[in-house]
């Protein structure tokens, strides 16, 4: 993409309504525009990041054996009345009446709908285990939406639902989700700590939230500092191996880590004093096991090995896809702008032409651009007739991990400049070497 042809409405001044870093930088970088309170249009740059995050979530869910589908945003109130949640959910639910006077709602979550789908098509234990998920827009009518996409009313979420014959099978599904979530967040350059949490209106006794530590987090969290040394890394995992998934759960949840709703001062005091930490955290996902709460209420039963009709054991598992965009920025920025991790960056590298119109500089930039595109990478070429300082400021603001700077002086010596956005370090090298370095960083072959 050439910047002269791209829609990137960057702002020089920070809008007064933006209270936290991610909201300020998303507005300034031209990623979003507010439509109404807590509802945003995703402009091209923001949409690219959103889709990159969504793709990672899809890939890791499929890797874990979960099956994608898509459910509608509007749901019948009758399903929620079956489960008993229609009146219990509260004013956050947007209730709607259609032209035939039927009660509808804009879904905040999908436990009832997925249970209805399951009970309509599955009747035997032979079809279990089963985990279905989708990535869909949700709506919760927050009283005071704030912090941009971090606490909006409309948001994109991955929500998955497991159906199992027994509690033991369902807890394996719980562990499987925990493992897949650890992989998902690390691919995005995040450390998301699983913490014992409150189930809220979803229900159930077993639940963990995944929180990213950040000063602007909405939750107070308490944890053993040893947990921040844990990394899942690139280890191989067999998602069908019950013991292997259980071992990962124990590794990542055996140390104290709780949100303020479930904090236990007596247990926390047992952590060595030098390792006790309290901080703020941003919730980016949550997993639940809630047994037969919905299957009992809605008649989601299967015939077991003995011929008995039994309710299935269920759990639900969410990842805040749109919220993750803000969380990544909160965890990765400086005073110049965003610093995207390579896994989610909207463009793999920026190309800055210091002298637009100079034949040699134009040709060198075009050659770099063509080479990267041929290798399956997406560069953003700043071909505008602007001062060098303005081009650098734009690249720093939008946060591309790598920048290749091309100018007549360097070209006379046969070099361009490759700069890391995260460290600020620059290195001069021949253009071919810069291409090789970028392809190695992103794991592409020449």
């Amino acid at each position: 993409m050439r910047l002269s042809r791209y829609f990137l409405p960057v702002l020089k001044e920070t809008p007064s309504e933006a209270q936290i870093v991610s909201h300020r930088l998303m507005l300034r970088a031209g990623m979003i525009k507010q439509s109404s309170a807590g509802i945003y249009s995703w402009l091209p740059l923001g949409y690219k990041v959103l889709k990159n995050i969504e793709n990672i979530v899809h890939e890791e869910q499929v890797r874990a054996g979960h099956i994608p589908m898509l459910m509608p945003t509007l749901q019948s109130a009758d399903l929620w009345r079956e489960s008993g949640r229609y009146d219990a959910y509260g004013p956050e639910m947007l209730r709607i009446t259609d032209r035939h006077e039927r009660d509808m709602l804009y879904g905040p979550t999908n436990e009832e709908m997925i249970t209805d789908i399951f009970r309509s098509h599955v009747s035997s234990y032979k079809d279990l285990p089963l985990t279905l998920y989708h990535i869909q827009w949700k709506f919760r009518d927050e009283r005071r939406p704030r912090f941009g996409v971090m606490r909006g009313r409309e948001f994109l979420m991955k929500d998955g639902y497991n159906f199992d014959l027994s509690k033991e099978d369902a807890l394996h599904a719980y562990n499987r989700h925990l493992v897949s979530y650890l992989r998902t967040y690390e691919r995005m350059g995040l450390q998301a700590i699983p913490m014992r949490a409150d189930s809220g209106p979803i229900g159930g006794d077993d639940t963990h939230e995944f929180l990213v530590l950040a000063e602007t987090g909405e939750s107070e969290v308490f944890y053993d500092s040893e947990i921040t040394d844990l990394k899942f890394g690139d280890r191989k995992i067999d998602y069908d191996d019950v013991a292997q998934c259980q071992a990962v759960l124990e590794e990542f949840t055996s140390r104290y880590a709780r949100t303020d709703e479930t904090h236990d001062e007596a247990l926390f005091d047992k952590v060595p004093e030098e390792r006790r930490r309290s901080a703020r955290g941003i919730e980016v996902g949550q997993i639940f096991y809630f047994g037969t709460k919905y299957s009992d209420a809605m008649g989601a039963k299967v015939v077991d090995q003995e011929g008995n009709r039994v309710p299935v054991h269920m759990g639900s598992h969410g990842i805040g896809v749109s919220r993750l965009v803000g969380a990544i920025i909160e965890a990765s920025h400086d005073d110049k702008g965003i610093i995207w991790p390579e896994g989610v960056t909207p463009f793999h590298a920026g190309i800055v032409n210091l002298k637009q119109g100079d034949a040699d500089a134009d040709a060198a930039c075009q050659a770099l651009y063509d080479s990267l595109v041929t290798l399956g990478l997406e560069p953003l070429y700043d071909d505008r007739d602007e001062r060098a300082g303005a081009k650098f400021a734009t690249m720093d603001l939008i946060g591309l991990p790598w920048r290749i700077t091309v100018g007549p002086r360097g070209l006379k010596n046969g070099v361009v400049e490759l700069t890391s956005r995260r460290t600020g370090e620059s290195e001069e090298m021949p253009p071919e070497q810069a291409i090789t370095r970028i392809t190695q960083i992103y794991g592409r072959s020449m």
Side-chain angles (χ1 to χ4, degrees), residues 351-356 358-362 364-365 368 388 392 404-417 428 431:
I351 301 171
V352 172
N353 189 341
L354 292 181
K355 194 169 183 180
Q356 196 68 38
D358 178 87
D360 291 338
D362 290 356
C365 287
L368 284 165
F392 290 149
I404 304 173
T405 305
V406 180
R409 184 179 303 174
L411 289 175
K412 288 180 181 178
N413 298 319
V415 297
V416 296
E417 186 178 71
E428 290 188 338

Side-chain angles (χ1 to χ4, degrees), residues 166-184:
S166 67
K167 179 176 181 178
E168 291 73 25
D169 292 342
L171 288 177
H172 173 56
Y174 186 95
N175 297 350
R176 193 172 64 238
H177 278 86
L178 181 136
V179 175
S180 69
Y181 279 25
L182 292 171
R183 284 185 56 92
T184 297

Side-chain angles (χ1 to χ4, degrees), residues 63 179 183 232-239 241 244-245 248:
R63 187 197 300 267
V179 175
R183 284 185 56 92
F232 189 85
D234 58 358
R235 69 180 86 175
K236 303 295 182 184
I237 189 81
D238 179 357
Y239 283 102
D241 189 321
Q244 197 176 14
C245 290
V248 174

